[in-house]
């Protein structure tokens, strides 16, 4: 849960914060931080249902980022 303290400090300093969830099941820390996040990036479209409908406009489905040399 290290991200909790970092994201809370960023919010306090008015630094934009984004979340990245690469698991199919959204983790507890990301659920807690979602309301204060400026953007939420998800690997799986099904994960969107784990967030309140009011947060859906912040969500973007990106898939799992992979370095190009690993993808080929």
């Amino acid at each position: 849960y290290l991200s909790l303290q970092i994201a809370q400090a960023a919010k306090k300093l008015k630094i934009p914060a984004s979340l990245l969830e690469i698991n199919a099941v959204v983790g507890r820390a990301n659920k807690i931080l979602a309301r204060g996040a400026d953007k939420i990036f998800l690997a799986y479209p099904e994960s969107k249902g784990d967030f309140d409908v009011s947060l859906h406009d912040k969500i973007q489905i990106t898939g799992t980022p992979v370095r190009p040399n690993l993808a080929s």
Side-chain angles (χ1 to χ4, degrees):
Y1 298 99
L2 178 61
S3 61
L4 282 169
Q5 291 86 358
I6 293 169
Q8 288 170 339
K11 189 71 172 173
K12 194 172 195 173
L13 295 170
K14 297 186 181 355
I15 298 171
S18 296
L19 304 178
L20 171 64
E21 181 60 75
I22 59 170
N23 299 304
V25 178
V26 177
R28 187 177 297 165
N30 279 343
K31 285 182 181 178
I32 293 168
L33 294 171
R35 290 208 184 280
D38 296 287
K39 200 75 172 153
I40 303 167
F41 298 98
L42 301 176
Y44 298 97
E46 306 83 41
S47 301
K48 192 173 183 177
D50 290 346
F51 293 96
D52 190 83
V53 176
S54 66
L55 301 173
H56 285 192
D57 60 327
K58 296 181 178 187
I59 295 174
Q60 183 174 347
I61 309 300
T62 59
T64 302
V66 178
R67 293 189 316 238
N69 63 334
L70 294 177
S72 55

